[in-house]
Amino acid sequence: MGRIAYVNGRFAPHGEAVVHIEDRGYQLSDAVYEVWALFGGKLADPEGHFARLERSLGELSIAMPMSRAALTLVLRETVRRNRVREGLLYLQVSRGVARRDHAFPNPPVRPALVITVSAVDRAVSDARAAKGVGVVTTPENRWGRCDIKSVALLPNVLAKQKARAAGAYEAWFVDELGFVTEGASSNAWIVDADGRLRTRDTNANILRGVTRHSLLDVIRGEGLEVEERPFTPAEALAAREAFITGAGSLVLPVVSVDGRPIGERKPGPVATRLRRLYIEQARATAI
Ligand code: PDD
């Protein structure tokens, strides 16, 4: 059975699903998105993703395309029609379709909603986690509102491509003061030389990762020490462990920075354990 997409109230075969050429998401990146991990056909971290979606839309004065309850039904129906158990759900809301003009359409138009689902081979991701991944560093060059999950991702695209070209999995943005902000599509963490977990605080110009937030709950539940404090690439290299979090990567050990190894270039015990615990919790609380 083929993939099915949801576009503005209709389900369509993936290859035939289309949006209007004057969709403001397409022309102006005037749109936000969310990505949910799917476990057993259910949405992981539902509350966190819905709350961030509503916040991103609110910051841009775009209306929720429907109530949270109705949207939940549509998301679930899209997953069901795709028969996907392990995977990702992508949702995008744009300001809508209007004749091209940078300012908002007046009167407002209906927001445009697109949902797609893709399968993930967890055996492949688990193998990647067992080996660990490399990251490269790149100067932070994004706008000042990275807290909004906007589809304007060109710096992230270029950063990720830089990583791919170097044979790495992720790129870490480094700000003017020399601190890692976050990854191109993930949040960045270390277990520092003293054994303390560290990740950038959310007052910084980063996306408030939902996986990050859920993992902080797991970490505190385990009684581990954690600090929301910046770290430099040099501190990452001197750290015991490093890892990234996100709906796509879940919790993924990082074993090198710019080609140089962290420790013995092997996933560490803390990241490995946190990955297992996060996945257990996400599976148990998915809806
Ligand atoms: N990316 N930082 C950035 C810049 C991201 O794009 C993402 C997620 C994260 C992690 O957020 P979360 O834990 O809520 O997934 C952090 C998604 C997965 C993507 O762009 O595909």
Side-chain angles (χ1 to χ4, degrees):
M1 211 201 64
R3 293 172 70 192
I4 303 290
Y6 174 94
V7 184
N8 295 323
R10 291 205 175 80
F11 290 100
H14 193 269
E16 292 164 28
V18 288
V19 294
H20 196 279
I21 55 167
E22 285 193 315
D23 185 298
R24 289 178 61 92
Y26 174 62
Q27 289 194 327
L28 301 160
S29 298
D30 190 2
V32 303
Y33 74 108
E34 274 299 329
V35 179
W36 276 262
L38 298 170
F39 290 109
K42 293 181 174 175
L43 301 156
D45 290 327
E47 169 64 31
H49 288 287
F50 280 120
R52 189 173 61 191
L53 173 65
E54 288 166 0
R55 184 176 174 283
S56 294
L57 290 170
E59 292 297 305
L60 300 178
S61 305
I62 300 175
M64 267 285 269
M66 59 182 80
S67 70
R68 199 192 274 207
L71 188 54
T72 305
L73 292 178
V74 172
L75 298 186
R76 283 183 165 158
E77 179 61 13
T78 313
V79 176
R80 193 189 68 78
R81 288 185 188 229
N82 281 277
R83 308 267 189 277
V84 165
R85 308 287 298 167
E86 302 298 307
L88 289 170
L89 182 143
Y90 177 86
L91 169 154
Q92 177 172 324
V93 181
S94 84
R95 194 178 304 280
V97 174
R99 184 170 160 161
R100 188 175 182 278
D101 177 5
H102 291 64
F104 298 175
N106 188 15
V109 292
R110 207 157 41 89
L113 172 61
V114 170
I115 304 164
T116 58
V117 171
S118 54
V120 168
D121 187 339
R122 294 269 182 238
V124 171
S125 344
D126 288 344
R128 185 180 297 124
K131 195 161 173 271
V133 299
V135 302
V136 296
T137 58
T138 196
E140 178 64 86
N141 60 356
R142 298 174 300 162
W143 74 324
R145 294 302 309 271
C146 293
D147 57 307
I148 298 173
K149 200 162 170 60
S150 136
V151 301
L153 288 170
L154 208 36
N156 309 59
V157 166
L158 297 178
K160 191 73 98 173
Q161 185 54 33
K162 180 176 173 183
R164 288 293 147 81
Y169 182 81
E170 179 60 302
W172 279 355
F173 289 110
V174 177
D175 68 17
E176 283 180 344
L177 297 175
F179 293 109
V180 174
T181 50
E182 62 179 333
S185 64
S186 60
N187 289 112
W189 301 67
I190 58 170
V191 181
D192 71 17
D194 301 323
R196 236 172 275 130
L197 282 149
R198 246 154 92 180
T199 191
R200 194 81 197 238
D201 66 278
T202 49
N203 292 323
N205 184 33
I206 63 168
L207 185 74
R208 297 170 189 178
V210 173
T211 316
R212 175 191 179 285
H213 188 83
S214 293
L215 189 67
L216 280 171
D217 287 344
V218 170
I219 287 166
R220 290 183 181 126
E222 288 294 294
L224 296 170
E225 267 192 85
V226 58
E227 285 183 336
E228 296 182 58
R229 185 159 74 81
F231 60 85
T232 63
E235 284 178 297
L237 280 167
R240 293 188 190 171
E241 301 183 31
F243 59 94
I244 54 175
T245 56
S249 38
L250 306 176
V251 177
L252 187 59
V254 170
V255 296
S256 70
V257 178
D258 291 330
R260 296 165 64 194
I262 297 174
E264 291 169 16
R265 208 186 274 269
K266 285 199 193 106
V270 175
T272 303
R273 178 170 161 74
L274 289 179
R275 176 178 172 87
R276 183 172 58 74
L277 292 174
Y278 169 74
I279 292 173
E280 274 172 20
Q281 172 178 284
R283 264 189 203 288
T285 55
I287 61 160

